[in-house]
Structure formats: structure tokens, C-alpha cells
Amino acid sequence: MKSAVTPLSEIRESITRTCQVASRKPDITLIAVSKTHPAERIVPLLEQGHRVFGENRVQETQEKWGDLLERFPDTELHLVGQLQSNKAEEAVDWFDCIHSLDRPSLVKALAKAMDKADRRVPCFIQVNIGAEDQKGGCAIADLPDLLKQARDANIPLAGLMCVPPVGIEPAPFFALLDKLARDNGLSEQDGGGLSMGMSSDYETAIMLGATHIRVGSALFGEREG
Ligand SMILES: *Cc1c(COP(=O)(O)O)cnc(C)c1O
């Protein structure tokens, strides 16, 4: 079964409605996750004025976005996938925000790449919120140290990011990420963002404090393979 695509305007309305229910200002950053989808699927959203997109592979981003960025130069690209240290330089060149900083070696690689490019790219620290073996993200116990290392390396912090385990109610994991941000003194000015919520659960995430939601299949349809 092919999943239905939700128009951008409907997703925006649903964000606004959820913010009303949660008594929040509707200043949520909607990241349209366009990974695996070709440029011609992305252009309609750009033409509707959307300017914040997410990708999960450096190489795919370079291949797809070169021309698109020439046409729509005010676009912001967010990296939402695992990043290998040897791709740090390219990631710093191409992305405006990185959501997957999760280990000391990557702090080092990104700090070096940012120094070299003379460009500071805000980073979310990804937390392995469900303690899953196969998932990226730092262990909850390692978060204070990693935050300190990132600060010491002069990496601008955007906040915390998580991808909860699949097939189980995500709300407790979102609430936990919010608590971790507060426990670690991440205030709103100082990287207190929360990148959480995807197509199936972004409204729940907004209720629980998300500042950045990452929505792919609701906007673009199911990914192949
Ligand atoms: C693919 C991806 C998304 C988008 O997921 P959908 O369920 O398609 O909305 C969000 N976050 C990350 C980290 C992803 O890899």
C-alpha cells in the first residue's frame, strides 16, 4: 500500500493546532526530510516557500542539492543521519545544522573541520534514548561529558536529539529527552532545542516540547526499499 502524502499546508496547520493545545508559540522548525527522494519531488516544496530540509547522507546531498541550492540559495540543510568522522569536513561545508553528534571522536573531527572552514555549524547531541544496541546516539550516562567536550571544542550547541525505539509509545522517550536537557542546564538561549518527532508522532513531540520536528514520509510518501 502506498502511503498518502500530506500537503505541506496541512502539516503546518496541524503544527499550529498542536501548539495551541500545548499553549506554545507556534515557532516549531519543520524539517522536511527529503532523503532518498529526487530533486523533482523537492522542488514543489521549495516553490511553496519551504526552506528547511533534512538529508542523511553527505554524498546524496552533494549530488542532489548542488543545483537546488543555486536556485534556492536561502535553503537550510540539516543532517539527520549518522555521520562518520572522515565525512566531517564535507558535512561542515554542506549542512547548516547537524543532528547526530554522538561521540568524542566526532566532536574532535567536527571541531577540526569547523576551524578549517572557519564556519561554526550548530549541532544537536543525539541521545540513544531507548538504549538500543544498533542505534546511534550517546548513552544517557555519557551525555554530561559529551556536552562538556563539545562546549570545550567551541561547537555551537543546538540542543538534544533522539529517535525513540519503533513499535512502542514514544511519549515517555520525548519526555525523558526534555528532562535530560533541563537536567544538563540546556536553557533556551544556550542550545535548549529538542529535535524529536517524525511523521507518525510529531504532534506528540510538540506537546512534549519539541522545537525541531523531522518529517519525511508524511510529506514525500514512503521511501523505496
Ligand atoms: C528518515 C528520518 C526521519 C523522517 O522519518 P519519517 O518517519 O519518514 O518522517 C526523521 N529523523 C531521522 C533521524 C531520519 O533518519
Side-chain angles (χ1 to χ4, degrees):
M1 192 183 78
K2 211 162 188 259
S3 69
V5 172
T6 316
L8 178 64
S9 57
E10 270 183 40
I11 296 201
R12 286 227 180 96
E13 274 164 32
S14 141
I15 292 170
T16 306
R17 222 181 312 116
T18 309
C19 285
Q20 273 164 2
V21 173
S23 301
R24 297 185 55 186
K25 280 197 229 109
D27 55 356
I28 309 289
T29 302
L30 167 62
I31 302 163
V33 180
S34 48
K35 67 187 187 199
T36 76
H37 298 292
E40 62 263 28
R41 300 286 310 281
I42 300 172
V43 168
L45 287 190
L46 285 161
E47 285 175 341
Q48 290 171 65
H50 195 74
R51 287 294 181 274
V52 187
F53 290 83
E55 291 284 346
N56 70 339
R57 291 215 164 82
V58 174
Q59 196 189 332
E60 181 185 339
T61 304
Q62 292 167 321
E63 287 164 8
K64 255 166 43 181
W65 280 94
D67 291 345
L68 290 174
L69 288 176
E70 266 178 40
R71 287 178 64 191
F72 302 93
D74 54 339
T75 302
E76 252 182 55
L77 291 181
H78 290 237
L79 178 65
V80 301
Q82 291 305 296
L83 177 60
Q84 286 167 359
S85 295
N86 64 6
K87 294 272 169 67
E89 275 189 28
E90 285 152 303
V92 164
D93 283 343
W94 278 83
F95 290 98
D96 302 286
C97 185
I98 293 170
H99 290 241
S100 49
L101 177 52
D102 65 354
R103 56 192 189 276
S105 58
L106 193 53
V107 168
K108 283 210 186 92
L110 283 171
K112 196 169 155 212
M114 289 184 204
D115 288 342
K116 188 172 171 197
D118 195 18
R119 168 178 158 83
R120 309 315 288 182
V121 178
C123 293
F124 285 90
I125 305 272
Q126 182 174 351
V127 180
N128 187 352
I129 202 78
E132 296 173 280
D133 285 343
Q134 76 285 9
K135 266 222 181 111
C138 77
I140 288 173
D142 297 338
L143 179 59
D145 276 349
L146 192 61
L147 281 166
K148 181 173 187 317
Q149 287 166 27
R151 287 193 171 115
D152 289 349
N154 201 17
I155 292 180
L157 289 176
L160 303 182
M161 178 273 204
C162 76
V163 183
V166 290
I168 149 173
E169 168 57 45
F173 299 98
F174 295 151
L176 178 56
L177 195 71
D178 177 46
K179 181 176 188 301
L180 289 171
R182 283 185 281 117
D183 287 353
N184 284 281
L186 292 166
S187 67
E188 221 156 273
Q189 303 89 300
D190 157 47
L194 293 175
S195 168
M196 58 189 197
M198 319 202 293
S199 292
S200 58
D201 54 21
Y202 66 87
E203 286 147 317
T204 306
I206 291 171
M207 294 294 293
L208 292 163
T211 59
H212 293 66
I213 57 174
R214 310 178 309 265
V215 177
S217 47
L219 280 168
F220 294 100
E222 266 336 304
R223 291 174 290 273
E224 312 262 311

